[in-house]
Each structure stands twice: as C-alpha cells, then as structure tokens.
Amino acid sequence: MASGGGHVAALWTEVNRCGQNGDFARALKAVNKILHEAKDDITALHCKVVCLVQNSSFKEALNVMNNYSKLLGNDLVVFEKAYCEYRLNRVESALKTIEAASEQTDKLKELYGQVLYRLERYDECKAVYTDLIRNSQDEYEEERKTNLSAVVAAMSQWGESSPEDLGLSETTYELCYNAACSLIGQGQLTEALNKLKQAEELCRVSFADDTDQNVFDSKKKVKLTSTDGVEHKLARRQLQAIDFNKALLAMYTNQAEQCRKLASGLQTQNPGQPRPVLVQVAQLCREKQHGKAIEQLQQFAEQHPESASGIKMTMAQLYLTQGHVTKACDILRLIEDFKHKQGMVRLNRMQYSIRFIKASLIHHITSCHRSGSPTHLALVREAANFKLKHGRKREAISDLEQLWKQNPKDIRMLAQLISAYSVVDADKAKSLSKHLPSPDSMALKVDVEELENSHGATYIRKKAAKPAGDAVPKEQGNVEIKKKRKKKKGKLPKNFDPKATPDPERWLPMRERTYYRGKKKGKKKEQVGKGTQGTTAGGSADLDASKTASSPPTSPRPGSASSSASGAVPPRQQKPATASGATRKKVPQKKKKSGKGGW
C-alpha cells in the first residue's frame, strides 16, 4: 500500500471495489482523493491513467503520462500510452512507442498487430498474429483467429499476392464473413456468396436473443458506420466502400440531393475511380435525364482513358435502353479491349462485319502465334457462316477448306464446301463429293411398315382389299365386335304435345315474328291519377271502341250466356292460327297455397 492511514486505506478499498464492478468513474474520484493526499504515488497515478482510458478520456490520460513521465518512466505505462495514441488515430506515434519498449509483452503484441493492420502492412501483421496464436493459450484465442482471418481477407483483396490457406475454422460469423471476403478477392464469387449466406445465418443465430432483431436492415447498418470512432478502426478502402454504399442507399431511398453530395465527395477523393461517376449516372437515369448521363460518361471517358472500357459499355447500355441500336454498336466498336471478341464480330451490320472478322483473325494469329486454336476456328466458322448467309460463296471457300482440313469427319462442313464450289468450279465439287459417305451407310435401318402401323403414326396406308373367295372366317372366340355408339335423345318441353304442329316462326326472335304487337306494359299507368277522381284524362267517346267504324264487335262480358254459347274468344286470349288449325294445350296453373289463418 503506497500511503498509510485509515482514510487512505478506505479509499484504496473503494478503488478496488469500483474496479471490480466496472464503475471507473467512482474509482477515478477515489484515486483523485488519494493523489490529493500523496501527489507522487506511482500506483495512484497508474490507476488514474487506467481509469481515464476505461472512460475513453484518451487525451487526458496522455496528458497525465506526459506530465509525470519522469516519475512513471517509459516501461510502466508504455501500453497505455501506445493505446491512447492508437485510439486518437496517431498511428505512427503508437508504432514508435511500441517499437521503443524494452519488452514485448503479449498485450503489446496484440496492439502492435492492430497498428500494423491500420498501416496496411499486412505481411508483418500476419506474422505477429500467427506468433500470438502459436505461443499463447487463453480465452482470447478466438478473437486472435478472427483478426488473423481479417488480415488474410485484406491481403486477398488489396495485396499483390494471394495468401496461403491457414486452415482457420469458420465456427463464428466473423470468421465466416472474413473467409467470404477472401474468396471475393480471389475471384471465387459463387463460393463467396454461399459463405456470406452461411455467415448471415450464424449472425442471426448469435443475435437471436438480442433486442435488435433488424440487424440486417440497410439503414441501421449504415447508421452504425456513422458512430464516433468507427473511422479510426477501418482501412481507407473500407471507408470508401462505406461511403459508396451510403450513396447507393440514398439513391434507392429517393434522396437525390444526398446521393449527389456523397457521389461528388467520392469523386473528389478519387478522381480516376469510375464508381462515383456511375452512381451519379444512375441517379440521372432515375430522373429520366439520359442525355445528361451520357454526356457525363463521355466526359469521364475522355479524361480517364484507362477506365474508358467500362464507361463505354455503360454508354452503349443507355443507348440500347433508348432504342438507339446503331449508336450503341458504334460505341462498342470503339472499345479496344473488346474489339476482337467473338461477341463484337456478331454485329449485324454487313458493311462492318467482314472487315471486323478479318481484323479479329489477324489480331488473334499475331497475338497467339498459332492458327489452330479453338478461338481462331470459331472466328473462321463465324466468317464462313456470315459469307454463306449473304451469298458470298466464292469468298467462303477458303474458310470452309480450312475448317474441313481441321476436321475431315465434319460432313456438314464438307457439304457446305461442295455447295460453295458448285457455283465456282463444278469439277472440284464433283471430286469433293467422293468424300461424302455412301447412301447405304447414311440410311437408317427402319422398318417402314412397322413405323406406319405404329400408334404414333398420323397416316396409315390402307391395305388392298382381298377377294371374296380368299376370305377366311375368324374363329368364334376371336370375332371382333364393334360397339355402336348410342345417340342420346334430346330433351323435350314439359308441356310438349306431339300432335300439335310447332310454330314455324319459333326460331325467330319475338320482335321479328308476324304476330308480335309490341309491349303494352305501362300504358295504363300513364293514365292513373290524371283528371278528376273516378274519371279518365281524355274523353270517354274517344276510348269507346264500339263507336268506331272499323272496330270489331265488342267482346261479351265474362260469365255471360252469350259468351259461353257462341264460343267467341276474347282478343287478348286469341293465338295465331297454325297451318293445320290445331291449338296448343293450355297449361294448368298451380293453385296457391293458402295461409294457416282463414277468413
């Protein structure tokens, strides 16, 4: 114990209790009280530095160590000093402090590895972590393996040489994620995608009991990268990737001004990087400003020819989306890296295709120094097919001969060569036709009769009919009986009278029949309620049909003797006369059921 006395002893007890509970703010107050009693207590000064570091007061801790440097010395607080410099992003100073230490402890080596990773000295960093994992056994072994896998991933993506496989396990999502980044750096994208899915699933399992269930939400992930101190933990290229993702997120969430601001800042930091320009172009396309987007791409391609290939491909894609196929083809022809690719040769404009095919053949022969490679033969085949398609058989002969010599068993190529020679040299075509296989060797051994009589044949040839005398009676058990298809009887109306002649106009619509008189519905309604009560609106004489000259005799009243005696039918009940004078049977009406209650 550095200071005597009961009061100081109680303060040290308080410091010890607060340190074990993690309450470094109260521990710092107790340490300050001890230093008030004993200003030169080395242990109290060391405890104060530790409390300040735990409270993230790195500048104040560094000031204490610099003010009491003679008293504390260099080796007592060398780790705390280097750590404060590292957290304040004074990486070079931290490296000098670590290298000046007289003894390299394990925790100092851990910090040394972090400093080297920040300085992007990945080879030295890998050696430090490999030594730590080999020579230490404690509860931090998993974290050291995670840091080592991060170093390997950085070497795969940004290093000049691909690192060796260290055989690290992938039991945690951090290790699995770093393995995916390493695969991305090696160009194994399919395997990397599977690793990322595995890492995502492991992360979901590890955060299953956490209150933050939306850990994979894009906005929350980007917000986490904006917290204080994160920029000091990431490499320069990682910070650029985060800014690029922020710009993309702003574009997809319709924050146009924010997207332009972020992309412009990225372009200022990296003038020759095409990705910020592509983000700005994508934002312009979302705003339907395709012309302005193409102008910006053209300007960048002229200023940075080393990145012009991808930019021109984007320009061609924009022209295609607008329907300008010719302009897109012209842009593609200007790309030197793709000029002699097979896809470029397949452009459909005839005046350019032959010239490009010849140039591509010459380029391939001069670059590969051999003319029998698969790519060269594919170009020759493309040239021959193009010439034959456009009727240039004379020009296609040399290409076809070259292809046939490479593969004499190709019958199709030989047939094309004979067809081309038939126009130019008939004798040569006849001599080449001797190399064709005989018809017997090419004929398929197929039984024609069996094929025509098969179940799948659409046409069966009829056999000739045998004479009557040659007919052989079949046995009784082998007699084929053809089933006759029964015709179903049509349904008839319920009140159908077979004796009555049907109406000859029954197929015509009711409106087109001769006896149709129109609808009479609603005529009486118009007269209801008009005029005085009990009378009609018009004169009764005009409505009396008996007083008109051309009106038929009035119909008798229902129930009168004359009606039953004479047998006259009222006009409303008359039906059109049929050809035979037969009348339809009257359908009996159903009686309505009366209610339970009687009158």
Side-chain angles (χ1 to χ4, degrees):
M1 186 175 293
S3 302
H7 178 64
V8 176
L11 290 175
W12 278 113
T13 303
E14 178 72 9
V15 171
N16 186 29
R17 182 179 61 81
C18 292
Q20 291 178 354
N21 296 333
D23 191 356
F24 295 99
R26 295 186 62 182
L28 181 62
K29 292 180 181 179
V31 169
N32 287 331
K33 291 180 181 179
I34 294 173
L35 290 173
H36 184 73
E37 299 290 335
K39 296 181 180 180
D40 298 335
D41 192 335
I42 298 175
T43 306
L45 286 172
H46 193 187
C47 290
K48 182 176 182 179
V49 170
V50 171
C51 290
L52 289 172
V53 170
Q54 292 291 342
N55 292 329
S56 299
S57 301
F58 303 113
K59 287 185 178 180
E60 188 176 352
L62 201 59
N63 292 332
V64 171
M65 288 183 281
N66 291 331
N67 294 333
Y68 294 92
S69 58
K70 295 181 179 180
L71 186 63
L72 293 173
N74 294 327
D75 293 338
L76 182 61
V77 290
V78 62
F79 174 78
E80 287 79 2
K81 184 180 179 180
Y83 184 77
C84 288
E85 291 172 341
Y86 171 76
R87 293 299 303 270
L88 291 172
N89 204 26
R90 304 174 186 176
V91 187
E92 296 290 344
S93 300
L95 180 63
K96 293 179 181 179
T97 303
I98 295 171
E99 291 177 344
S102 59
E103 182 184 0
Q104 296 291 330
T105 60
D106 287 347
K107 62 179 182 180
L108 207 57
K109 288 181 180 178
E110 297 273 3
L111 183 58
Y112 185 47
Q114 293 289 337
V115 171
L116 291 174
Y117 183 84
R118 184 72 62 81
L119 294 173
E120 300 182 8
R121 294 161 60 174
Y122 300 120
D123 292 330
E124 301 175 46
C125 182
K126 175 187 172 186
V128 170
Y129 279 116
T130 304
D131 180 67
L132 280 171
I133 293 172
R134 186 182 298 114
N135 299 321
S136 60
Q137 292 181 354
D138 52 18
E139 65 273 14
Y140 300 107
E141 183 179 1
E142 199 71 32
E143 294 183 6
R144 295 189 185 100
K145 289 182 178 179
T146 302
N147 292 338
L148 181 58
S149 65
V151 175
V152 173
M155 293 175 67
S156 300
Q157 290 184 327
W158 307 312
E160 297 180 357
S161 60
S162 56
E164 59 181 349
D165 187 10
L166 301 177
L168 297 174
S169 61
E170 299 173 2
T171 54
T172 63
Y173 70 90
E174 296 100 337
L175 287 167
C176 199
Y177 173 79
N178 290 335
C181 294
S182 181
L183 290 172
I184 292 173
Q186 298 172 14
Q188 304 178 20
L189 300 182
T190 304
E191 294 81 358
L193 179 60
N194 296 331
K195 284 291 182 194
L196 286 174
K197 291 180 180 179
Q198 183 180 352
E200 183 178 356
E201 186 61 30
L202 289 172
C203 189
R204 289 185 188 276
V205 173
S206 62
F207 283 91
D209 299 330
D210 196 358
T211 55
D212 185 12
Q213 294 294 327
N214 297 322
V215 68
F216 291 102
D217 185 68
S218 298
K219 289 187 177 180
K220 291 185 178 180
K221 285 191 292 184
V222 171
K223 190 176 181 180
L224 289 174
T225 60
S226 302
T227 55
D228 296 334
V230 174
E231 67 276 5
H232 303 312
K233 298 181 181 180
L234 300 175
R236 178 175 53 86
R237 298 187 183 182
Q238 290 175 327
L239 292 173
Q240 293 176 2
I242 289 174
D243 292 339
F244 177 72
N245 290 330
K246 286 181 180 179
L248 284 178
L249 184 62
M251 182 186 69
Y252 286 117
T253 53
N254 297 324
Q255 301 177 13
E257 292 298 328
Q258 182 71 8
C259 175
R260 278 191 283 267
K261 182 179 178 181
L262 291 170
S264 178
L266 283 172
Q267 190 176 5
T268 304
Q269 297 174 9
N270 305 279
Q273 181 62 247
R275 295 209 297 182
V277 180
L278 293 176
V279 173
Q280 296 178 13
V281 169
Q283 180 61 42
L284 290 172
C285 291
R286 289 174 69 90
E287 298 172 0
K288 307 299 183 183
Q289 301 182 25
H290 296 90
K292 192 175 181 180
I294 293 175
E295 290 179 3
Q296 190 167 355
L297 289 172
Q298 183 68 34
Q299 183 180 0
F300 183 84
E302 293 175 355
Q303 295 176 355
H304 304 279
E306 68 279 0
S307 305
S309 298
I311 295 297
K312 289 180 179 178
M313 289 287 289
T314 308
M315 292 173 62
Q317 180 65 32
L318 288 178
Y319 276 128
L320 286 175
T321 55
Q322 293 179 306
H324 303 315
V325 181
T326 304
K327 292 183 179 180
C329 293
D330 293 338
I331 291 292
L332 290 174
R333 292 189 186 96
L334 297 176
I335 304 176
E336 294 293 334
D337 297 340
F338 306 142
K339 194 171 184 180
H340 303 291
K341 298 290 184 181
Q342 297 182 36
M344 293 295 298
V345 177
R346 294 178 180 270
L347 292 177
N348 293 327
R349 294 182 66 181
M350 182 178 174
Q351 57 269 34
Y352 294 104
S353 294
I354 293 294
R355 185 179 64 190
F356 271 105
I357 290 171
K358 292 180 180 179
S360 300
L361 288 171
I362 296 172
H363 171 77
H364 185 78
I365 292 173
T366 55
S367 60
C368 299
H369 303 287
R370 57 195 182 100
S371 60
S373 62
T375 306
H376 177 259
L377 293 177
L379 288 172
V380 175
R381 188 184 302 274
E382 186 68 25
N385 291 335
F386 184 86
K387 293 172 185 177
L388 290 173
K389 181 179 179 181
H390 293 88
R392 300 186 176 187
K393 293 187 177 181
R394 186 186 299 271
E395 300 177 16
I397 288 176
S398 59
D399 298 331
L400 293 172
E401 282 183 341
Q402 184 178 355
L403 292 171
W404 183 58
K405 288 178 181 179
Q406 292 290 335
N407 187 11
K409 296 182 180 180
D410 193 345
I411 301 175
R412 182 176 179 274
M413 193 60 60
L414 178 59
Q416 288 180 338
L417 181 59
I418 294 172
S419 176
Y421 264 118
S422 63
V423 180
V424 180
D425 191 351
D427 296 334
K428 184 66 175 178
K430 288 181 181 180
S431 62
L432 287 174
S433 62
K434 296 178 182 179
H435 297 281
L436 289 172
S438 61
D440 296 335
S441 61
M442 297 178 63
L444 299 175
K445 297 181 180 180
V446 179
D447 189 352
V448 180
E449 294 289 338
E450 183 180 356
L451 183 63
E452 289 182 346
N453 295 327
S454 62
H455 294 287
T458 56
Y459 169 75
I460 300 176
R461 185 174 58 187
K462 295 183 178 180
K463 296 182 179 180
K466 294 183 178 180
D470 296 340
V472 180
K474 295 184 178 180
E475 297 181 5
Q476 186 173 0
N478 297 332
V479 177
E480 295 181 0
I481 302 175
K482 293 184 179 179
K483 294 183 178 179
K484 293 183 179 180
R485 188 175 180 181
K486 296 182 179 179
K487 293 184 180 180
K488 294 183 178 180
K489 295 182 179 180
K491 293 184 179 181
L492 298 174
K494 295 181 179 179
N495 303 324
F496 176 70
D497 187 4
K499 297 180 180 180
T501 304
D503 186 5
E505 298 181 1
R506 64 186 182 278
W507 306 116
L508 298 175
M510 182 61 72
R511 189 179 298 275
E512 298 178 6
R513 299 181 188 180
T514 56
Y515 49 83
Y516 179 70
R517 294 294 181 268
K519 292 184 179 180
K520 300 180 181 180
K521 188 176 180 180
K523 286 188 176 181
K524 291 185 178 181
K525 277 187 177 180
E526 297 176 358
Q527 301 175 1
V528 175
K530 295 180 181 179
T532 57
Q533 185 175 1
T535 62
T536 58
S540 58
D542 297 337
L543 300 176
D544 192 357
S546 60
K547 294 182 180 181
T548 59
S550 60
S551 62
T554 57
S555 58
R557 295 179 180 177
S560 62
S562 61
S563 174
S564 59
S566 62
V569 182
R572 290 180 181 270
Q573 298 181 7
Q574 291 180 0
K575 294 183 180 179
T578 57
S580 59
T583 58
R584 294 187 180 181
K585 187 176 180 180
K586 188 176 181 181
V587 181
Q589 295 181 354
K590 294 183 180 179
K591 295 182 178 180
K592 295 183 180 179
K593 294 183 180 181
S594 60
K596 291 184 179 180
W599 290 95

